[in-house]
Amino acid sequence: MRPEPDTLVVGAGTAGCVVAARLSADPARAVLVLEAGPVWATPAQAPPGLLEAATLPLDPAAPWLRHYPAVLGYAGGAPVAATLVRGAVLGGSGAVNGAYFIRPPAPDLAAWCARTGDDTWSAAALAPTFAALEHDLDFGAAPGHGTGGPIPVRRPAAPDDPFTAAALAAGFPAVPDWNAPAAPATGVGPVPCSLDGPLRADTGSRYLLPALSRPNLTLRGGTAVTRLLIERGRVAGVCTETEVIRAGRVVLCAGAIESAALLLRSGIGPPDELRAAGIEPVLAAPVGRHCADHPEIGLDYRVSARRIGAVALETVLELDGVEVRPYALEFAPAVRRIGVALMRPATTGTLRVRAADPRIPPVIEHNHLASAVDRRHMLDGLDTAAELLSRMAGVTGAVRPPAAAGLPGILTTSQHLAGSCRMGTAGDDAAVVDRMGRLYGLDDLWIADLSIVPVPLARGPQATVVALAERIASGMRG
Ligand SMILES: Cc1cc2nc3c(=O)[nH]c(=O)nc-3n(C[C@H](O)[C@H](O)[C@H](O)COP(=O)(O)OP(=O)(O)OC[C@H]3O[C@@H](n4cnc5c(N)ncnc54)[C@H](O)[C@@H]3O)c2cc1C
C-alpha cells in the first residue's frame, strides 16, 4: 500500500464493504477502509453470536452498537423520545439487522428518477444489479434473478404460518416472491432474507473479507473519522483523533446518521445552523434537512404455542405503502408483536449537530404522524392487523387497535433513517450529491450509503443499499 491511498472509504458497513471490495478489484488502485467499530480478518473470528440471524444482537452494552437519542414525534405537545441503534462493526447495521432483503418497488424508483431527472435509478436500470448481487436459493433460475452473486437469499418462512393463513382467508393475494420483477404492491408472502445458513449474510462477510487478501486493500478497525480534510476546493483526506490521512478521493459510507454528521462537523451544511453550533461554514448544503424513516406501531398479543422464527420477520403483508410485520420473535414469554409501519410517510425529519465535537451526538427530530394522511394510514393498518389477529390460530385474547389520539405516544421506529444527504439535480434545493453520489461544491468526495436515497422506499433499505453501493462503485471505476 502506498502511503497515500487512491481511495479512502469511511465506514466498513453495508455500503462501505461493497464499495471497498469493488474498487480494490482494480490492482492499480490502493483502497483504505476506516471503520469506527471492531473488525476481524476471517469469518471464523466474528464475535460469537453476532451473526446468528434468529436473534437481533441488540444488547445495549454490546461493543458493536452505537446509540443515538432521537425525537420521533410529539404526543400532546410532549416529545416522544427514542433511542436509535446502528451497527458499528464490520458489516455495519447489516451485521445486526433482521436480514430482510427485499428490492424496492418500481414506483419508488420512478419517484427517485424524478429527483435525478434521468433513469439512472429506474427499476429497469437497477434490475441487472439486483440479479448480479444475489444468489437466490429459491428463485435463482426465475426471470430477473441471479445465482452467481455474493449475497445468498432465501425465504425461511414456515409453510403453515398462521398469519399467512389469516391474510389469505381475508382475501389478500399470495406473493411467493417479493423480489420478482413484477411483484404486486399488495399481498402476503415470505420475506426474502440475506442468509448464509443460520447466519446473517452481511456485506462484511460476503464482500469485504473475501477481498482482504488483496495487497491493495487495507481495513483498519477502531478508527473513527472525526472530520474531513478540506483543501483548495477538494476533500483531500480525513482526520481521526490522532492523525491526518490524505487520499486521492474519499467515499463516505458511514451511514445516514454519521455521513451527515461528518459533513456538518466539517463545515458542509446549512450555514446558520453551523454557526450556531460553533462550526465555520465551508460549503452551504442542505445536509440533514430532509430525513425519512418508517414510523412503526406494535400490537402485542399472546400465543398458545411458542415457536421462534429463523429471522425476526419471516412473512410480511404489504398494503401499498403500509407494511404489516408479524414478528417471529418473542417480546416477553409467549408475547408476540405485529408491527405496522408507514413506508411512504408524508413528512420528513431533520438531523443537525450541536458542536464540532464528535462525542456530542447529533440532534435527530423525526416528524412522524404530524400529517393527518399518515395518521389515517396508520389507523387503517392497525385495524387490518387487529382483524388478522382475530382470525389467527393460536392467538389468545382479543387485541384492540389504539385510538387515533393515542398513536403518537406509542410510536416506535423501524431504524431506517435515510435521505440526510439527498441525491438530486444541480438545481434541486434539497440535493447534496449528484446522481452518482458526488458531492456538489467540492471535488473528490462521494457518498455511497443510505443517506443519499432521495425518496421514501416502501421496503426495508438493506437490499437497496447494497445495489446503490454497487452502482456508485461501478460509476467510480468509470
Ligand atoms: C437493528 C436494525 C435492524 C434492521 N433490520 C433491517 C432489515 O431486516 N432489513 C432491511 O432492509 N433493513 C434493516 N435495517 C436497516 C439496514 O440494515 C440499514 O439501513 C443499512 O444496513 C444501512 O447501510 P449503510 O451502509 O448506510 O450504513 P451502516 O451499515 O450502518 O454502516 C455504517 C458504518 O460506518 C461506520 N462509521 C460510522 N461513523 C464512522 C466514522 N466516523 N468513522 C469510521 N466509521 C464510521 C459504522 O461503524 C458502520 O460500520 C435495520 C437496521 C437496524 C439498525
Side-chain angles (χ1 to χ4, degrees), residues 9-17 34-38 56-58 64-66 68 84-102 191 194 203 220 223-227 240 253-259 262 265 312-313 358 414-418 448-451 459-466 468-469:
V9 179
V10 180
T14 307
C17 290
L34 302 180
E35 165 55 45
L56 293 176
L58 301 180
W64 48 72
L65 297 179
R66 186 142 182 206
Y68 302 87
L84 307 187
V85 62
R86 291 294 178 274
V89 63
L90 178 63
S93 299
V96 303
N97 76 9
Y100 160 128
F101 198 84
I102 309 188
V191 174
S194 44
T203 58
R220 279 175 55 184
T223 308
V225 170
T226 52
R227 66 181 172 84
T240 71
C253 297
I257 297 175
E258 289 294 345
S259 285
L262 265 175
R265 291 185 188 118
L313 185 65
S414 305
Q415 305 285 2
H416 295 165
L417 192 147
D449 59 24
L450 186 57
S451 66
R459 301 290 180 270
Q462 183 188 210
T464 303
V465 174
V466 178
L468 171 81

Side-chain angles (χ1 to χ4, degrees), residues 199-349:
L199 304 181
R200 268 178 213 91
D202 67 313
T203 58
S205 59
R206 307 301 303 186
Y207 279 83
L208 193 58
L209 291 187
L212 260 192
S213 58
R214 293 174 185 157
N216 62 329
L217 174 61
T218 304
L219 168 65
R220 279 175 55 184
T223 308
V225 170
T226 52
R227 66 181 172 84
L228 302 173
L229 177 68
I230 300 170
E231 289 176 349
R232 292 182 291 281
R234 68 177 286 262
V235 173
V238 302
C239 304
T240 71
E241 287 284 345
T242 54
E243 14 172 17
V244 173
I245 305 173
R246 293 177 175 277
R249 55 187 180 173
V250 173
V251 193
L252 281 189
C253 297
I257 297 175
E258 289 294 345
S259 285
L262 265 175
L263 292 184
L264 293 166
R265 291 185 188 118
S266 306
I268 302 168
D272 291 351
E273 217 176 274
L274 293 176
R275 283 192 199 95
I279 299 166
E280 189 55 37
V282 175
L283 174 70
V287 176
R289 295 295 79 207
H290 308 278
C291 305
D293 206 327
H294 295 144
E296 179 168 348
I297 287 181
L299 288 181
D300 286 359
Y301 62 99
R302 300 193 74 81
V303 286
S304 50
R306 297 176 66 181
R307 178 191 163 269
I308 303 301
V311 289
L313 185 65
E314 293 185 329
T315 300
V316 71
L317 171 66
E318 299 290 353
L319 303 173
D320 196 11
V322 173
E323 199 167 79
V324 180
R325 306 171 175 164
Y327 288 112
L329 306 170
E330 287 198 332
F331 285 76
V335 174
R336 300 278 286 261
R337 178 172 297 169
I338 288 201
V340 175
L342 296 185
M343 304 305 279
R344 296 188 188 109
T347 55
T348 56

